[in-house]
Amino acid sequence: MKQFGRDVVHRWERNPIVAIEDIPFACNTVFNGTVIKFGEYIMLLRIEGLRGYSVLALARSRDGYHFEVDDKLFMEPATEEPFKTFEEKGVEDPRITLIEGSYYIMYTAVSGFGHRIALAKTDDFKTVERLAAVSEPGNKDGVLFPRKIGDRYVRLDRPYGGGVGNIWMSYSKDMIDWGDHKLLAPTRDGYWDTTRVGASAVPIETDRGWLEIYHGVKGTSGGPIYRLGTLLLDLEDPSKVIGRSAIPILTPREPYERIGDVGNVVFSCGAVPEDDGEVKIYYGAADTCICVGTASVDELLESCQYA
Ligand code: BMA
């Protein structure tokens, strides 16, 4: 398999795995898919329509590499209140977490009022129920942990304030009302994640801690560069950061990551840990297609051991 620079993630040599040609209707782009195992692999992916707002569709695969996109959309902007007002500019960047037997989807609801985190639920990937908008505007990249910690559900989120976006965490007894907000991982001056950071994949539970794949942005004179990195959080108290990657695990290098609607972007919404210790990391490239790369849990843990 080809390797580039210092990337920890090994790209699949036949990337991209989903591109505009794979969408069974006219659209502008496809990107930022989240994947979970539901018998087969199910991907919930973001499609930007010709008008310019995003909707969510499902794709299915037996091996996690070859996906077929459903003809029918899975989630379109809501047509009824209380969701309609806050989704009028689209639904974006979903993350699916299996909790207590149900699949919870945290996604970004976009409107003229800004970005809000919203929560929906499905048990069968046929029907989906919206539960609530779970943040005020100005927050996105909501990612649920796969189990309660203590007696509360936990999520990572990304409020925007003071001109920067940092990773925070919030707690809830019912997944609807969230509080006890804590700053988790701020941007770092002089690093690859100096301008903005946000959670990407559902945290993976390892015996060394919660392994989180996140995205970080560096502003340059040529525009922003989006890369991926890792965080290691304490198992009992995930608000304690015990590791953070000093260098990115994946940086845009290939033409499909460099060129597109938004060039120089690798942006993940999900990763699938396999039984053999390998993690399939799914990512949107240049906001124009979806790719996959792999790394072992050990490689990812090693990447974040120097805080
Ligand atoms: C982020 C989000 C992502 C997008 C990325 C790069 O702020 O909007 O959906 O992939 O920017 O454009």
Short mmCIF file of all heavy atoms in Angstrom, two decimals, residues 31-32 46 92-93 108 115 140-141 158 196 215 217 224 226 261-267 269 284 286-287, ligand 1:
data_model
loop_
_atom_site.label_atom_id
_atom_site.label_comp_id
_atom_site.label_asym_id
_atom_site.label_seq_id
_atom_site.Cartn_x
_atom_site.Cartn_y
_atom_site.Cartn_z
N PHE A 31 -19.91 14.03 0.64
CA PHE A 31 -18.75 14.02 1.55
C PHE A 31 -19.21 13.74 2.98
O PHE A 31 -20.40 13.53 3.24
CB PHE A 31 -17.95 15.33 1.46
CG PHE A 31 -18.71 16.63 1.67
CD1 PHE A 31 -18.39 17.48 2.72
CD2 PHE A 31 -19.70 17.04 0.80
CE1 PHE A 31 -19.04 18.69 2.90
CE2 PHE A 31 -20.37 18.25 0.97
CZ PHE A 31 -20.04 19.07 2.03
N ASN A 32 -18.24 13.64 3.88
CA ASN A 32 -18.46 13.52 5.32
C ASN A 32 -19.48 12.43 5.70
O ASN A 32 -20.52 12.71 6.30
CB ASN A 32 -18.86 14.88 5.90
CG ASN A 32 -17.75 15.91 5.71
OD1 ASN A 32 -16.68 15.58 5.22
ND2 ASN A 32 -18.00 17.13 6.08
N ARG A 46 -23.38 12.72 3.59
CA ARG A 46 -23.90 14.06 3.31
C ARG A 46 -23.83 14.34 1.82
O ARG A 46 -22.78 14.19 1.21
CB ARG A 46 -23.05 15.07 4.09
CG ARG A 46 -23.34 16.51 3.74
CD ARG A 46 -22.53 17.43 4.63
NE ARG A 46 -22.62 18.79 4.18
CZ ARG A 46 -21.86 19.78 4.64
NH1 ARG A 46 -20.98 19.55 5.57
NH2 ARG A 46 -22.02 21.00 4.16
N GLU A 92 -26.32 18.36 8.10
CA GLU A 92 -24.92 18.10 7.73
C GLU A 92 -24.21 17.21 8.75
O GLU A 92 -24.62 17.11 9.90
CB GLU A 92 -24.15 19.44 7.65
CG GLU A 92 -24.76 20.42 6.67
CD GLU A 92 -23.97 21.73 6.56
OE1 GLU A 92 -23.00 21.91 7.34
OE2 GLU A 92 -24.32 22.55 5.70
N ASP A 93 -23.11 16.63 8.30
CA ASP A 93 -22.07 16.01 9.14
C ASP A 93 -22.60 15.13 10.28
O ASP A 93 -22.36 15.40 11.46
CB ASP A 93 -21.15 17.11 9.71
CG ASP A 93 -20.44 17.88 8.60
OD1 ASP A 93 -20.61 17.52 7.42
OD2 ASP A 93 -19.76 18.86 8.91
N THR A 108 -25.68 18.23 12.29
CA THR A 108 -25.69 19.69 12.36
C THR A 108 -26.90 20.20 11.60
O THR A 108 -27.07 19.90 10.41
CB THR A 108 -24.39 20.26 11.75
OG1 THR A 108 -23.28 19.63 12.38
CG2 THR A 108 -24.29 21.75 11.96
N HIS A 115 -25.46 27.31 13.19
CA HIS A 115 -25.40 25.84 13.30
C HIS A 115 -25.88 25.42 14.68
O HIS A 115 -25.51 26.02 15.68
CB HIS A 115 -23.97 25.35 13.13
CG HIS A 115 -23.39 25.61 11.77
ND1 HIS A 115 -22.83 26.82 11.41
CD2 HIS A 115 -23.30 24.83 10.68
CE1 HIS A 115 -22.42 26.75 10.16
NE2 HIS A 115 -22.70 25.56 9.69
N LYS A 140 -21.54 22.81 16.95
CA LYS A 140 -21.61 21.74 15.95
C LYS A 140 -20.65 20.62 16.34
O LYS A 140 -20.10 20.64 17.43
CB LYS A 140 -21.31 22.30 14.55
CG LYS A 140 -19.91 22.85 14.42
CD LYS A 140 -19.72 23.68 13.17
CE LYS A 140 -19.87 22.89 11.91
NZ LYS A 140 -19.27 23.55 10.74
N ASP A 141 -20.45 19.65 15.41
CA ASP A 141 -19.53 18.54 15.70
C ASP A 141 -19.89 17.84 17.01
O ASP A 141 -19.02 17.54 17.84
CB ASP A 141 -18.07 19.01 15.75
CG ASP A 141 -17.59 19.53 14.41
OD1 ASP A 141 -18.01 18.97 13.38
OD2 ASP A 141 -16.79 20.49 14.38
N ARG A 158 -18.60 21.45 19.91
CA ARG A 158 -17.70 22.48 19.41
C ARG A 158 -18.40 23.85 19.35
O ARG A 158 -18.79 24.31 18.30
CB ARG A 158 -17.22 22.07 18.02
CG ARG A 158 -15.79 22.40 17.66
CD ARG A 158 -15.49 23.88 17.58
NE ARG A 158 -16.30 24.54 16.59
CZ ARG A 158 -16.07 24.55 15.27
NH1 ARG A 158 -15.02 23.96 14.79
NH2 ARG A 158 -16.88 25.18 14.45
N ARG A 196 -8.71 26.00 14.60
CA ARG A 196 -10.02 25.45 14.94
C ARG A 196 -9.88 23.94 15.14
O ARG A 196 -9.11 23.30 14.41
CB ARG A 196 -10.96 25.68 13.76
CG ARG A 196 -12.39 25.84 14.16
CD ARG A 196 -13.21 26.03 12.93
NE ARG A 196 -13.12 27.35 12.37
CZ ARG A 196 -13.70 27.68 11.22
NH1 ARG A 196 -14.36 26.78 10.51
NH2 ARG A 196 -13.63 28.90 10.77
N HIS A 215 -10.60 16.55 14.15
CA HIS A 215 -10.05 17.32 13.04
C HIS A 215 -9.52 18.66 13.56
O HIS A 215 -10.03 19.21 14.53
CB HIS A 215 -11.08 17.55 11.92
CG HIS A 215 -12.31 18.26 12.37
ND1 HIS A 215 -13.41 17.61 12.88
CD2 HIS A 215 -12.61 19.59 12.42
CE1 HIS A 215 -14.34 18.50 13.20
NE2 HIS A 215 -13.88 19.70 12.93
N VAL A 217 -7.65 22.51 12.18
CA VAL A 217 -7.49 23.40 11.04
C VAL A 217 -6.33 24.35 11.31
O VAL A 217 -6.16 24.85 12.42
CB VAL A 217 -8.78 24.25 10.82
CG1 VAL A 217 -8.66 25.09 9.56
CG2 VAL A 217 -10.01 23.36 10.77
N PRO A 224 -7.47 27.64 4.61
CA PRO A 224 -7.35 26.66 5.69
C PRO A 224 -6.94 25.27 5.21
O PRO A 224 -7.28 24.88 4.09
CB PRO A 224 -8.76 26.62 6.30
CG PRO A 224 -9.66 27.17 5.27
CD PRO A 224 -8.85 28.05 4.36
N TYR A 226 -7.40 21.33 6.56
CA TYR A 226 -8.05 20.46 7.55
C TYR A 226 -7.31 19.15 7.63
O TYR A 226 -7.13 18.47 6.61
CB TYR A 226 -9.50 20.16 7.14
CG TYR A 226 -10.48 21.26 7.45
CD1 TYR A 226 -10.49 22.44 6.71
CD2 TYR A 226 -11.41 21.10 8.47
CE1 TYR A 226 -11.41 23.44 7.00
CE2 TYR A 226 -12.34 22.09 8.76
CZ TYR A 226 -12.33 23.26 8.01
OH TYR A 226 -13.24 24.25 8.30
N ASP A 261 -14.46 21.14 -4.08
CA ASP A 261 -15.19 22.36 -3.71
C ASP A 261 -14.45 23.13 -2.62
O ASP A 261 -14.42 24.35 -2.62
CB ASP A 261 -16.60 22.02 -3.24
CG ASP A 261 -17.55 21.93 -4.41
OD1 ASP A 261 -17.07 21.81 -5.56
OD2 ASP A 261 -18.78 22.00 -4.20
N VAL A 262 -13.90 22.40 -1.65
CA VAL A 262 -13.05 23.02 -0.62
C VAL A 262 -11.76 22.21 -0.57
O VAL A 262 -11.72 21.12 0.01
CB VAL A 262 -13.74 23.04 0.76
CG1 VAL A 262 -12.90 23.84 1.75
CG2 VAL A 262 -15.15 23.64 0.68
N GLY A 263 -10.73 22.73 -1.20
CA GLY A 263 -9.48 21.97 -1.31
C GLY A 263 -8.74 21.86 0.01
O GLY A 263 -9.00 22.62 0.96
N ASN A 264 -7.81 20.90 0.08
CA ASN A 264 -6.97 20.72 1.27
C ASN A 264 -7.78 20.37 2.52
O ASN A 264 -7.55 20.93 3.60
CB ASN A 264 -6.10 21.95 1.54
CG ASN A 264 -5.03 22.09 0.48
OD1 ASN A 264 -4.42 21.09 0.08
ND2 ASN A 264 -4.83 23.29 0.00
N VAL A 265 -8.73 19.46 2.34
CA VAL A 265 -9.57 19.05 3.47
C VAL A 265 -9.60 17.53 3.59
O VAL A 265 -9.92 16.82 2.62
CB VAL A 265 -11.04 19.53 3.30
CG1 VAL A 265 -11.94 18.93 4.39
CG2 VAL A 265 -11.12 21.05 3.33
N VAL A 266 -9.23 17.00 4.76
CA VAL A 266 -9.65 15.65 5.16
C VAL A 266 -10.46 15.86 6.44
O VAL A 266 -10.00 16.51 7.38
CB VAL A 266 -8.48 14.66 5.36
CG1 VAL A 266 -7.80 14.39 4.02
CG2 VAL A 266 -7.46 15.13 6.37
N PHE A 267 -11.69 15.36 6.45
CA PHE A 267 -12.63 15.65 7.54
C PHE A 267 -13.40 14.38 7.85
O PHE A 267 -14.15 13.88 7.01
CB PHE A 267 -13.59 16.76 7.09
CG PHE A 267 -14.50 17.28 8.17
CD1 PHE A 267 -14.17 18.44 8.87
CD2 PHE A 267 -15.68 16.63 8.49
CE1 PHE A 267 -15.01 18.93 9.86
CE2 PHE A 267 -16.52 17.11 9.49
CZ PHE A 267 -16.19 18.27 10.18
N CYS A 269 -16.08 11.89 9.93
CA CYS A 269 -17.28 11.85 10.77
C CYS A 269 -17.44 10.46 11.39
O CYS A 269 -18.43 10.20 12.06
CB CYS A 269 -18.54 12.18 9.97
SG CYS A 269 -18.73 13.92 9.62
N GLY A 284 -14.27 12.63 4.55
CA GLY A 284 -14.60 13.42 3.37
C GLY A 284 -13.32 14.06 2.86
O GLY A 284 -12.46 14.49 3.65
N ALA A 286 -11.75 17.02 0.38
CA ALA A 286 -11.98 18.25 -0.39
C ALA A 286 -13.48 18.56 -0.53
O ALA A 286 -13.89 19.19 -1.51
CB ALA A 286 -11.29 18.18 -1.76
N ASP A 287 -14.27 18.15 0.43
CA ASP A 287 -15.73 18.35 0.42
C ASP A 287 -16.35 17.86 -0.90
O ASP A 287 -17.38 18.39 -1.35
CB ASP A 287 -16.10 19.83 0.67
CG ASP A 287 -15.97 20.21 2.15
OD1 ASP A 287 -15.49 19.37 2.95
OD2 ASP A 287 -16.37 21.33 2.51
C1 BMA B 1 -16.24 22.37 8.40
C2 BMA B 1 -17.55 21.68 8.18
C3 BMA B 1 -17.36 20.45 7.32
C4 BMA B 1 -16.50 20.71 6.10
C5 BMA B 1 -15.25 21.46 6.49
C6 BMA B 1 -14.39 21.84 5.30
O1 BMA B 1 -16.42 23.58 9.08
O2 BMA B 1 -18.45 22.54 7.53
O3 BMA B 1 -18.61 19.98 6.92
O4 BMA B 1 -16.13 19.49 5.53
O5 BMA B 1 -15.61 22.64 7.18
O6 BMA B 1 -15.09 22.69 4.42
#
